[in-house]
Amino acid sequence: MGKIKVLTGNYTATEAAALCRPDLVAAYPITPQSSVVEGLAGKVHNGELDANLVQVESEHSAMSVVQGAAAGGGRVFTATSAQGLALMYEPYFRMSTLRMPMVMALATREMTSPETVWSGQQDAISVRDAGWIQVFCDNNQEIMDMVIQGYKLAEHPDVLIPVNVCYDGFYSSHLTEGVDVPDQKEVDEFLPAPSFAHCVLDPKKPFALDPLTPGPLLMKYRKSHLDAMEKALDIIEEIDKEFGDKFGRYYGGAISEYRTEDAEVVLITIAGMTGTGMDAVDIAREKGIKAGLIKLRFIRPFPAKRIAQVLEGKKAFAVVDRSVCFGWSQGPMHMEVKAAIADVNEKYAHFSAIGGLGGADISLQNMLDTIEQLEAQKEEHGEKTTKWFMNE
Amino acid sequence: MKEIRLHGRGGQGVVKASQLIVKAAVKGGRYGQFIPFFGVERKGSPVFGYLRLSETPIRRKMQIYFPDMLVIMDDSLVTLPATYDGLKDGGIVIINSKKTAEELLVPENAGIVASVDATGISEELFGKNIPNTSMLGAFAKIAGLVDKDALFDEIANAFGESNRKAAMRAFEEVKVIKE
């Protein structure tokens, strides 16, 4: 049994990362992520955590330093947000395409401009094709558990892909609630020391890491990366079960469902808006609307088959995005859910909803309005106009 | 579930106070959640906080539009439309002030309105206006939502015995100015 501690989302990520015994942490502070690494620095300073903590001068350096340590076979951790992620884009891509496992916490934040430091998911969503695995968390317990599961997944010999554990800036990063913090011994049992050995830097056996690679060979690496992503969908389910059996908390794998069994209309959510969506589903049910919810947990790899299975036989769905898909006038997760379903316009009434950009709230009323619109339009198949949650 | 909105100014300790309430609630086997709302962070600017206390897990993570209770740490905020906005009929108001309910522009639909001179207590005990721990004393007395001793222990753990004393003083001195 763990111990219940009252923590913010960021300090939850701190506690979780420390439980995973990283060899090295390198990071640069940026709102709203800063307290993750502040907490780790405190633990190293107090002697609670035996890790190298490297103070770097930018996020580009942070990702480069952890990359070097991972190339030496170490378990590494960092955290960032928004502009920081943008600045680390080059080594970020290299980390995944070198197939180096690690976990990075991402307190998601809107991208400028207009100038903003507040919540949004445009940062994480915009790098969804940079080869990382991305999981989005709804509450602090999930942040705790996904950092721990993240290392297991990233280091799995059939995966070897770094993992982003994403949670909403401020609405989760600064949210305080009780969290079950597992015992160190139990985490050690679940997560043995890393043993990946595909590129270990050893001064006694010098070799060149990542030399110029001709296209035909590069294509083999790419295909292998995509195959591992596909395989990760199965490993995610296995780890969810193994974790649940040990710690008593199951998350459903790549997606989770709420009251979908007999639902006619389905709300599809991502990260911290999910709890609000579940409350809206309950209220809609009391009004006689057969509503349900799918929470997108992993979006890379994208659980297309499972989403299509759950939606089979339903009448209507809306996907709520906290980011936009420039050029498509809708949210990116709506685009991806549509791509998961053949004949989507013949089978469903559906639309994209966009809200919560730049720190704006996604309210219970927004979620209820969306469900009620689905109920009203459920018999009229095809795509409806994108709904914007324009709250004052 | 009770939804409590806190209003203060940067530097008055709205965030720390709310986190202590969540700690006391969780230790008592209940559920608590606090989300701070940050604007442009600087000392003295208006700060909001959204606090929820419940017997069952709290799922929604959003702002509070229709509070059951308001905790106002600075009475100069009452002229801002956002301060009393959406207060439920019969909702409780706990405010750091020496003024009357009329002077505080308390809305008609409010229930119990209680005030305490938390600024005076903190200036006397600490030599500066950090009213948060005194306001927790008033909250413990009026709200009836957390165990007083558990909350005061959290205050002492976080800020020392002098702050427990501030909370005790406010617990004794808080008075209902409208029912």
Side-chain angles (χ1 to χ4, degrees), chain B residues 88-127:
Chain B
K88 277 189 189 162
D89 289 346
I92 295 173
V93 178
I94 305 173
I95 186 163
N96 169 18
S97 185
K98 294 191 279 191
K99 294 180 180 167
T100 65
E102 291 71 35
E103 287 171 320
L104 291 170
L105 311 172
V106 173
E108 281 290 308
N109 72 334
I112 290 171
V113 179
S115 72
V116 66
D117 181 16
T119 296
I121 294 171
S122 89
E123 282 178 345
E124 196 186 313
L125 290 178
F126 315 121

Side-chain angles (χ1 to χ4, degrees), chain A residues 66-360:
Chain A
V66 296
Q67 202 160 90
R75 183 177 284 160
V76 298
F77 179 82
T78 190
T80 196
S81 299
Q83 314 309 114
L85 179 64
L87 186 55
M88 71 167 60
Y89 184 68
E90 185 244 324
Y92 180 80
F93 226 109
R94 193 184 291 266
M95 192 76 191
S96 70
T97 49
L98 277 173
R99 305 289 300 280
M100 299 225 219
M102 73 169 289
V103 170
M104 176 163 79
L106 202 54
T108 59
R109 166 178 144 177
E110 189 58 65
M111 295 301 291
T112 53
S113 278
E115 180 63 11
T116 177
V117 296
W118 295 293
S119 203
Q121 292 166 359
Q122 198 70 46
D123 53 359
I125 291 291
S126 297
V127 295
R128 67 195 187 281
D129 283 331
W132 285 58
I133 289 171
Q134 290 183 313
V135 58
F136 286 75
C137 304
D138 178 34
N139 54 47
N140 291 1
Q141 190 66 59
E142 194 171 17
I143 296 171
M144 166 63 64
D145 295 346
M146 293 323 295
V147 169
I148 298 167
Q149 289 190 35
Y151 279 106
K152 186 102 171 172
L153 177 62
E155 293 169 4
H156 192 287
D158 292 339
V159 178
L160 295 172
I161 297 173
V163 173
N164 264 167
V165 176
C166 308
Y167 50 91
D168 289 334
F170 294 107
Y171 286 98
S172 286
S173 68
H174 286 60
L175 180 150
T176 301
E177 64 183 358
V179 181
D180 187 336
V181 181
D183 278 348
Q184 182 68 62
K185 186 172 164 289
E186 287 189 302
V187 176
D188 289 345
E189 286 161 6
F190 178 78
L191 187 69
S195 63
F196 54 96
H198 61 298
C199 51
V200 173
L201 289 180
D202 182 349
K204 289 177 195 141
K205 294 180 224 159
F207 72 100
L209 175 66
D210 200 20
L212 270 179
T213 305
L217 183 55
L218 184 144
M219 284 187 66
K220 286 184 184 168
Y221 281 115
R222 279 293 180 278
K223 180 165 187 308
S224 149
H225 193 153
L226 266 60
D227 289 348
M229 271 280 186
E230 186 74 16
K231 180 75 182 162
L233 280 172
D234 297 330
I235 311 293
I236 287 163
E237 312 283 325
E238 285 170 21
I239 291 175
D240 184 62
K241 185 174 183 311
E242 189 186 337
F243 185 91
D245 291 348
K246 185 156 188 66
F247 297 98
R249 291 184 294 276
Y250 300 87
Y251 289 93
I255 60 170
S256 66
E257 297 171 53
Y258 183 68
R259 304 187 82 167
T260 49
E261 205 160 292
D262 65 336
E264 292 181 343
V265 303
V266 179
L267 199 57
I268 301 181
T269 61
I270 178 167
M273 68 175 81
T274 302
T276 311
M278 287 159 78
D279 280 357
V281 164
D282 285 356
I283 293 167
R285 286 265 173 180
E286 282 168 24
K287 293 181 177 181
I289 300 172
K290 287 188 171 176
L293 181 145
I294 297 173
K295 171 182 159 194
L296 300 174
R297 299 187 69 245
F298 285 83
I299 66 151
R300 286 295 179 272
F302 195 75
K305 280 183 195 154
R306 281 196 61 195
I307 292 166
Q309 275 166 10
V310 176
L311 287 176
E312 188 61 41
K314 313 296 185 208
K315 292 185 172 178
F317 68 87
V319 186
V320 187
D321 274 283
R322 202 164 205 147
S323 59
V324 299
C325 193
F326 293 102
W328 281 95
S329 297
Q330 53 190 274
M333 290 303 106
H334 182 244
M335 292 298 303
E336 301 221 351
V337 169
K338 282 197 301 184
I341 304 162
D343 308 328
V344 65
N345 289 326
E346 285 70 44
K347 287 166 83 174
Y348 303 100
H350 65 95
F351 59 88
S352 164
I354 293 172
L357 309 185

Side-chain angles (χ1 to χ4, degrees), chain A residues 4 6 8 118 138-139 170-172 174-178 258 272 275-276 278-279 282 359 361-364, chain B residues 1 15 18-19 22-24 26-27 32-41 58-65:
Chain A
I4 304 291
V6 172
T8 64
W118 295 293
D138 178 34
N139 54 47
F170 294 107
Y171 286 98
S172 286
H174 286 60
L175 180 150
T176 301
E177 64 183 358
Y258 183 68
T276 311
M278 287 159 78
D279 280 357
D282 285 356
D361 200 18
I362 295 180
S363 69
L364 187 63
Chain B
M1 179 172 64
V15 173
S18 307
Q19 290 175 334
V22 174
K23 278 190 181 176
V26 170
K27 275 208 178 142
Q33 177 209 70
F34 175 69
I35 307 173
F37 183 85
F38 293 104
V40 180
E41 290 169 69
I58 301 161
R59 300 189 301 202
R60 66 187 64 175
K61 286 166 287 297
M62 52 179 273
Q63 298 173 18
I64 292 174
Y65 299 92

